[in-house]
């Protein structure tokens, strides 16, 4: 049973910005969601695990591999889909996937060909395999990205913001693909889209300001908020007063009026109704608490 | 709006680093040009470095280079909107296309123009640098700088800015614009070369876009004083050139406006393509399951996998280069540009002679540009490949893959090596194509590969390795490129400043002289030791690059330095260690060779040595010394050991009127003197550094007394040198002369520093001149050697048994023993003390003609011109024996020697060494070209009279008696063989060469009778003057005069003849009305300005035509610096009527309608001729005998029926 243990991982940039502040996580196999706003340190964490960056202090262990000391060992069983990646010009999808297969150690011609063909089919890029990668649309490029990440049957897969920029259909397809990945694999899904985590991940953590501020299974975390989320539809000019009196965790427009969610242990009255909390409420409430603490 | 846009653009571009970097670099270059005595563009010694001519020329050159900077500004105007993505926002405003385009252009152009001010600024600053020699600078004249900037530089900037602006508008790509820049630059260079051929000046003046052709045409025949003070007036061709090209620039701007589309061009096309693809690849339903998932392949990490990774990465990296359009364009440019070089490589002289395109010459031709392009490719693609992953944003995926850390540097290096190799292969293919197109199929692929492909590839890869390390260390690609450019410039500058040791010049090494006779000889050994040395260093650089490689997103230098020890532990460290060992070991061996076995010399060091020699010893040049009467030499040549050992003896005689107490004996610098013994003399003082010895006679040598001097000396090279390896002794093709081994008696001023600036630098007198014509006592010494008169010689040469030894003289014996061949040559008639010895594996062809054996000793690969040489000798013997005097020997021998030894032919007594590089490989298939083989052969044989029968005294005008007379003789042979129409072509080249070289001479010009070192006078003007003279007073008259001179002076000792004697003999044979002509041609610098005009032909009742035209004639006398005064003219010239322009092609006897000689005086006169058919052209001097700067104006078109 593989697992990833992160212990007090800290990364301080030369300009004294603390991108990661004593992050400790214990990630079992299966899909693990990492949720957080932009600039929270998600990508820094992903890159550090993916051996692309060395932390200032702390350790990462994947089973018996000390990732910081022996990154090459982890790379042999790693699949990484970066947040923002480009492609070589004038190279076809087939050739690039073939190239990545070689780089990942699937060099024997027969095995390589089978892997490449399988993955192209699985990501539905078979019909365009001879076309230049540079001419792909965003969604197709993401599919290629996950295809190369899956080469060589890795035990640790990191996907960083994979559905940003995909249309709803593509997003759905992508998530389905992730869901098919086997059980003996650690998959870390880093995103700021709450639904992705809610739909897929049995365990998650919320990271903000370089720190882990919440951790657990989504259902458990939602259960913690039971009976504490209240909602009301108000006029826009009432919002100021509402903020002053209550802990507003989110506002939304619906049918021309503002719908607020507030956090309150007791019934606040004033026309607030109890709301069934969702993961979004967990997320917003966590962030708002963290901001108040800061 | 327009001006606001322009102002914004101006401020924006002013802040770009390219502006400051460009200005800095050009200011530095201009400053260096002006302030460093070692860097020159176009200024020679007697015009000021800050003369308007020099400033103008420098500005033109810099303006052409500046186009690279200009392109950066104007292309940025167009592409930055698209590249930054900001374009959509800009285009959504109300800005009109006119304001957008031209406002921005104006701003960018203004910034480019301001940046170019760095050039006049740098030039000015350099001219006042405190260390410059004030004699090389004239007064500061602001007009010169303003003229250069506004008239010469700014139009070029405007033109290039408009051109690149239009180009970027069409291509919307910075890369393609830069391809255009390189293309225009190379095209400009080629055009410049093509347009310097005589006859193209007018075309060049108008159509050369950068104005250099116009400037060159306007100043072509200017003298030094004109170049120091005048700027070309903005009239005529210069004005039209500006008008034409400024109009073109405006047209280009208008074109840009018409072609510019506000919506992004290729971006939308690409988006459309992507959208189409997306549709194709998006199936209706979710990801299709392809059945049960097959057992996924697990990775295997073994040696085979690593090898496959290396191949895959190398192929990807190399593919990125090979498939990039820029590479094809660079390669195409190199090939296209080389076509020009290759084509002209076979045009070996300014006379239009041609040689066969042997592979050696083709290699030299492509070595003009391909190495330069390979440097660009190496540096450019090192940057591109090192930063490829980061720029394409693939680095996170690649870096996270399980490839070893070295799997980045190694494939990129291999990829660049492959690219460079293929570049040079293309160079070879182009050269071979050129050879084939000329019908020459002896390709010598092995020579191309061994002599060129492999060494050039290695040298280029060395630079690539450095570039890779630089790019690994530098914070971005452009900084890396800038550093490499600075490195390139520094290699040029360092060499000029005296830092020549190839042990610290990265990728430096001695040149390998190539020859068909000698192939690479043993010179490749030295070159490859240096290659081993630098390759080991390059390996260290690459290991360092691997150690510091950016993997992952950590790009700071310090963290990478921290990881360096970890990366270097293990095999990499071992490799680095081994490389360092090889580096140190080979370095030590090289040092031993270049500093211990051989003296380490630099050009500056040699200069200083020569200056010191002069300071110490020149005072002895007037000391009376004995003269050499008899020479005995025994030369042992060891061609494969680069060694010649000489044993010799002189019989010396005191030919002065007083006793001589001391004997000064000098050897050349690197001769090792084994023994030196002089009868009754002991060594008094010795100067070992200078190989100069002063002996004192125990009893002074009395007038008339003879003594014997015997010596043993060795000339050799052990191992190899840093540069300047000995080429006189070769494995096949040794050619040495006696002065390189045997002593000279007494001091003379040969081989001392000539350059005035250098002489001033070392505190010497400004000039060393020949004694003035008529100096008393000067005629006691002959012009070749002051220590000899006519001598007799006995020379024995020994070489390896498979080679033929040759020295001047009749061979009296030959023997082979112990693998060595010995031949003895004796001369018992008086000869000059001037001997050569040659040894090679020759083929011999001998023709006997009227008792003279004419032998050609040649390399079996070059049989093509042997018969022609013999024919030339026969024709020359006929003319010279009939018209001058009998030939004093029974043999003539022509011997081929290797090209690295020189590109000349030389006349020793009955022996003519002749370089393989000139006209042994001549291609005479085109009958319209001047027959250079015959010309050179006749000239050299002529020296058997003019030098080896009569030798001039050591004073001014000596060269007139030898070289000019040889030119005359050769001219006569050619005239009789080919006729006056071929001679006209020959004389036209002589005229152009003479006129061009007048302005660029070190010393002021001298007339023929007082000529010193001005070779353009005694060769070129000599031909013209003598040809005109024999045409005016008759060939027989001239030959009679020469016979008289020979009768009076041949083989006689002092007093030696001078130009005074020759002119006296000529005057005696010339009629009274030609005496002034002799003065004008031989004793003054005379120029003519003769124009024919207003030619009208009218038909007569009897069917013939009356032709009238005016002739406006001027005669001008000039002084040495070019100041001119008019002179009255009263001469006879040919006038005539013709069917074609005599100056064009196709002029021959059938095209002459009528020609006659008439009197022409200064001023305007009318000439009338009656001719039988309608004349198309009329004029004066159709055979181009006049020295006229505007020779074309002597002929005019006829208006008429």
């Amino acid at each position: 049973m593989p697992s990833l243990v992160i212990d007090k991982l800290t990364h301080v940039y030369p300009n004294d910005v603390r991108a990661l502040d004593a992050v400790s996580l214990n990630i079992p196999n299966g899909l693990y969601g990492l949720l957080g706003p932009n600039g929270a340190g998600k990508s820094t964490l992903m890159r550090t695990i993916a051996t692309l960056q060395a932390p200032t202090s702390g350790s990462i262990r994947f089973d018996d591999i000390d990732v910081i000391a022996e990154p090459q060992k982890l790379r042999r069983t790693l699949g990484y889909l970066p947040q923002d990646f480009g492609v070589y010009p004038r190279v076809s999808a087939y050739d690039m996937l073939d190239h990545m297969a070689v780089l990942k150690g699937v060099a024997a011609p027969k095995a390589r060909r089978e892997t490449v063909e399988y993955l192209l089919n699985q990501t539905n890029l078979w019909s365009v395999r001879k076309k230049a990668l540079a001419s792909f649309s965003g969604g197709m490029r993401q599919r290629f990205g996950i295809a190369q990440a899956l080469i060589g049957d890795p035990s640790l897969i990191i996907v960083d913001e994979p559905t940003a920029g995909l249309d709803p259909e593509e997003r759905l397809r992508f998530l389905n693909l992730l869901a098919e990945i086997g059980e003996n694999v650690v998959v870390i899904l880093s995103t700021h889209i709450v639904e992705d985590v809610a739909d897929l991940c049995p365990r998650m953590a919320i990271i903000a300001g370089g720190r882990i501020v919440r951790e657990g299974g989504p259902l458990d975390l939602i259960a913690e908020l039971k009976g504490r989320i209240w909602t009301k539809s108000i006029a826009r000019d009432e919002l100021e007063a509402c903020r002053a009196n209550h802990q507003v965790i989110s506002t939304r427009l619906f049918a021309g009026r503002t719908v607020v969610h507030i956090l309150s242990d007791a019934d606040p009255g004033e026309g607030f109704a109890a709301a069934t909390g969702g993961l979004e409420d967990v997320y917003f409430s966590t962030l708002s608490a963290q901001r108040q603490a800061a | 709006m327009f001006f606001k846009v322009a102002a914004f653009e101006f401020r924006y571009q002013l802040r770009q680093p390219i502006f400051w970097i460009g200005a800095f670099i050009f200011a530095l270059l201009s400053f260096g040009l002006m302030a460093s005595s070692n860097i020159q563009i176009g200024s020679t010694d007697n015009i000021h470095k800050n003369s308007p001519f020099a400033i103008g020329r420098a500005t033109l050159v810099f303006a052409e280079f500046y186009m690279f900077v200009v392109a950066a500004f104007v292309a940025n105007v167009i592409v930055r909107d698209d590249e930054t993505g900001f374009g959509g926002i800009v285009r959504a405003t109300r800005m009109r296309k006119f304001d957008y385009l031209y406002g921005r252009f104006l701003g960018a152009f203004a910034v480019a123009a301001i940046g170019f001010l760095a050039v006049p600024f740098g030039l000015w600053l350099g001219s006042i640098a405190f260390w410059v020699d004030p004699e090389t600078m004239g007064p500061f004249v602001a007009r010169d700088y303003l003229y250069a900037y506004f008239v010469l530089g700014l139009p070029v900037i405007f033109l290039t800015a408009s051109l690149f602006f239009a180009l970027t508008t069409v291509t919307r790509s910075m890369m393609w614009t830069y391809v255009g820049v390189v293309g225009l630059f190379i095209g400009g260079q080629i055009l410049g070369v093509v347009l310097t051929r005589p006859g193209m000046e007018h075309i060049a003046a108008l159509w050369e876009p950068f104005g250099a052709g116009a400037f060159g045409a306007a100043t072509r025949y200017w003298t030094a004083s004109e170049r120091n003070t005048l700027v070309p007036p903005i009239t005529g061709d210069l004005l039209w050139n500006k008008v034409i090209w400024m109009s073109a620039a405006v047209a280009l701007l208008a074109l840009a406006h018409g072609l510019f589309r506000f919506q992004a061009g290729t971006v939308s096309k690409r988006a459309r393509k992507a959208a189409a693809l997306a549709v194709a690849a998006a199936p209706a339903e979710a990801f299709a399951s392809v059945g049960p998932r097959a057992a996924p392949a697990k990775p295997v990490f073994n040696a085979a996998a690593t090898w496959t990774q290396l191949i895959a990465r190398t192929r990807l990296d190399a593919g990125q280069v090979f498939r990039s359009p820029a590479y094809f364009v660079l390669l195409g440019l190199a090939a296209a540009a080389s076509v020009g070089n290759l084509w002209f490589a076979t045009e070996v002289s300014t006379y239009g002679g041609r040689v066969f395109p042997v592979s050696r010459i083709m290699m030299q031709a492509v070595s003009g540009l391909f190495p330069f392009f390979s440097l660009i490719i190496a540096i450019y693609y090192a940057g591109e490949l090192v930063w490829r992953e980061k720029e394409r944003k693939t680095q996170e995926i690649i870096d996270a893959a399980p490839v070893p850390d070295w799997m980045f540097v190694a494939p990129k290096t291999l990829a660049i090596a492959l690219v460079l190799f293929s570049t040079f292969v293309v160079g070879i293919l182009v050269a071979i194509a050129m050879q084939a197109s000329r019908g020459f199929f002896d390709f010598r692929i092995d020579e191309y590969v061994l002599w060129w492909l492999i060494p050039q590839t290695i040298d280029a890869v060395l630079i690539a390795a450095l570039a890779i390390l630089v790019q690994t260390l530098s914070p971005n690609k452009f900084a890396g490129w800038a550093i490499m450019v600075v490195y390139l410039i520094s290699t040029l500058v360092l060499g000029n400043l005296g830092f020549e040791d190839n042990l610290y010049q990265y990728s430096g090494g001695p040149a390998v002289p190539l020859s068909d006779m000698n192939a690479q000889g043993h010179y490749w050994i030295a070159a490859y030791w240096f290659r081993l040395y630098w390759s080991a260093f390059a390996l260290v650089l690459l290991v360092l690059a691997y150690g510091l490689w950016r993997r992952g997103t950590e790009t700071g230098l310090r963290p990478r330095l921290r990881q360096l020890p970890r990366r270097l532990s293990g095999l990499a460290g071992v490799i680095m260690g081994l490389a360092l060992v090889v580096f140190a070991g080979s370095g030590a061996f090289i040092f031993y060779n270049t500093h211990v076995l051989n003296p380490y010399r630099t050009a500056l060091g040699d200069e200083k040595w020569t200056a010191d020699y002069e300071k110490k010893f020149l005072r002895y040049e007037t000391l009376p010394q004995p003269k050499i009467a008899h020479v005995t030499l025994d030369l042992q040549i060891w061609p494969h050991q680069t060694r010649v050992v000489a044993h010799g003896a002189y019989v010396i005689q005191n030919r002065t009127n007083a006793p001589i107490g001391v004997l000064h004996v000098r050897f050349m610098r690197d001769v090792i003197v084994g023994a030196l013994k002089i009868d009754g003399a002991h060594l008094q003082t010795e100067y070992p550094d200078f190989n100069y010895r002063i002996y004192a006679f125990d009893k002074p040598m009395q007038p008339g007394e003879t003594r014997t001097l015997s010596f043993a000396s060795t000339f050799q090279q052990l191992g190899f040198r840093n540069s300047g390896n000995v080429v006189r002794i070769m494995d096949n093709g040794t050619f040495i002369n006696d002065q390189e081994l045997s002593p000279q008696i007494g001091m003379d001023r040969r081989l001392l520093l000539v350059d005035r600036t250098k002489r001033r630098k070392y505190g010497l007198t400004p000039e060393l001149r020949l004694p003035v014509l008529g100096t008393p006592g000067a005629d006691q010494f002959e012009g070749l050697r002051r220590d000899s008169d006519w001598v007799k010689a006995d020379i024995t040469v020994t070489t390896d048994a498979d080679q033929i030894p040759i020295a001047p003289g009749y061979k009296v014996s030959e023997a082979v023993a112990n693998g060595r061949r010995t031949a003895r040559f004796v001369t018992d008639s008086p000869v000059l003390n001037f001997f050569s010895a040659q040894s090679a594996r020759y083929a011999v062809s001998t023709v006997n003609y009227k008792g003279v054996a004419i032998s050609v000793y040649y390399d079996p690969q070059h049989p093509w011109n042997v018969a022609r040489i013999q024919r030339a000798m026969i024709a020359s013997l006929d003319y010279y024996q009939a018209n001058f005097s009998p030939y004093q020997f029974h043999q003539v021998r022509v011997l081929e020697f290797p090209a690295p030894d020189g590109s000349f032919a030389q006349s020793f007594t009955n022996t003519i060494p002749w370089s393989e590089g000139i006209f042994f490989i001549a291609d005479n298939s085109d009958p319209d070209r001047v027959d250079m083989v015959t010309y050179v052969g006749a000239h050299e044989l002529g020296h058997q009279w003019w030098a080896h029968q009569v030798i001039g005294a050591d004073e001014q005008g000596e060269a007139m008696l030898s070289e000019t007379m040889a030119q005359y003789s050769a001219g006569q042979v050619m005239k009789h063989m080919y006729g006056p129409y071929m001679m006209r072509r020959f004389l036209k080249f002589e005229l152009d060469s003479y006129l061009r070289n007048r302005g660029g001479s070190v010393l002021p010009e001298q007339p023929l009778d007082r000529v010193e070192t001005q070779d353009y006078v005694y060769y070129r003007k000599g031909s013209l003057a003598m040809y005109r003279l024999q045409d005016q007073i008759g060939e027989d008259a001239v030959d009679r005069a020469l016979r008289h001179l020979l009768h009076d002076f041949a083989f006689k000792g002092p007093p030696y003849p001078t130009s005074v004697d020759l002119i006296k003999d000529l005057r005696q044979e010339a009629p009274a009305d030609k005496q002034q002509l002799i003065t004008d041609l031989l004793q003054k610098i005379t120029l003519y300005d003769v124009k024919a005009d207003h030619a009208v032909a009218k038909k007569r009742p009897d069917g013939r035509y009356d032709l009238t035209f005016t002739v406006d004639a001027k005669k001008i006398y000039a002084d040495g610096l070019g100041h001119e005064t008019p002179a009255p003219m009263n001469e006879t010239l040919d006038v005539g009527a013709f069917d074609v322009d005599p100056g064009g092609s196709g002029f021959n006897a059938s095209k002459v309608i009528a020609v006659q000689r008439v009197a022409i005086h200064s001023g305007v006169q009318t000439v009338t001729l009656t001719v039988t058919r309608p004349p198309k052209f009329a004029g004066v001097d159709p055979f181009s005998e006049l020295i006229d700067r505007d020779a074309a104006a002597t002929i005019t078109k006829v208006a008429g029926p």
Side-chain angles (χ1 to χ4, degrees), chain B residues 60 116 146 257 330 638 788 864 1013 1063 1098 1117 1134 1159 1164:
Chain B
L60 283 166
F116 195 67
L146 290 172
H257 186 272
L330 277 175
W638 305 91
S788 312
W864 307 304
T1013 55
I1063 290 176
K1098 276 206 285 270
Y1117 291 141
D1134 292 326
V1164 183

Side-chain angles (χ1 to χ4, degrees), chain A residues 47 50 52-53 72 75-76 78 80 82 84-91 99-100 102-105 107 115 118 121-124 127-128 131 135-137 140 143 148 152-153 173-174 177, chain B residues 274 277-278 280-281 283 285-288 290 293 296-301 305 308-309 312-313 316 320 323-325 388-389 392-394 396-404 551-553:
Chain A
R47 282 201 294 267
L52 292 175
Q53 242 175 298
Q72 194 70 352
R75 289 184 192 128
R76 292 184 175 186
L78 171 71
Y80 176 51
D84 185 16
F85 70 93
V87 293
Y88 290 113
R90 294 178 287 270
V91 177
H99 187 81
M100 292 309 302
V102 171
L103 295 192
K104 295 201 171 200
T115 300
Y118 175 79
N121 271 304
Q122 202 179 20
T123 54
N124 239 302
S127 54
V128 294
K131 299 280 195 287
S135 61
F136 280 11
S137 71
M140 294 164 71
R143 276 145 58 190
Q148 65 83 25
D153 201 27
R173 275 190 233 121
F174 189 88
L177 184 61
Chain B
L277 259 187
E285 70 298 340
F287 285 117
V290 205
R293 184 167 166 170
K298 275 285 189 198
V300 172
F301 296 102
T308 316
Q309 282 176 354
R313 285 303 294 174
L316 180 78
Q320 293 289 300
R323 267 182 253 145
S324 75
R388 165 84 7 149
E389 275 71 40
R392 293 289 161 194
K393 298 210 193 119
T394 56
E396 296 197 3
I397 294 184
I398 303 287
D399 288 350
V403 292
R551 186 174 190 166
T553 49

Side-chain angles (χ1 to χ4, degrees), chain B residues 490-503:
Chain B
S490 76
T491 57
L492 294 174
V493 172
L494 278 181
N496 275 321
L497 293 178
F499 295 101
E500 296 178 15
D501 199 337
N502 289 310
L503 278 172

Side-chain angles (χ1 to χ4, degrees), chain A residues 148-177:
Chain A
Q148 65 83 25
L150 293 174
I151 295 176
D153 201 27
S155 337
L156 173 60
I157 299 181
I158 300 174
V159 284
D160 193 353
E161 310 268 8
T163 61
L166 298 186
D167 70 35
E169 229 181 347
E170 289 174 327
R171 177 175 160 270
L172 204 53
R173 275 190 233 121
F174 189 88
L175 294 177
N176 285 334
L177 184 61

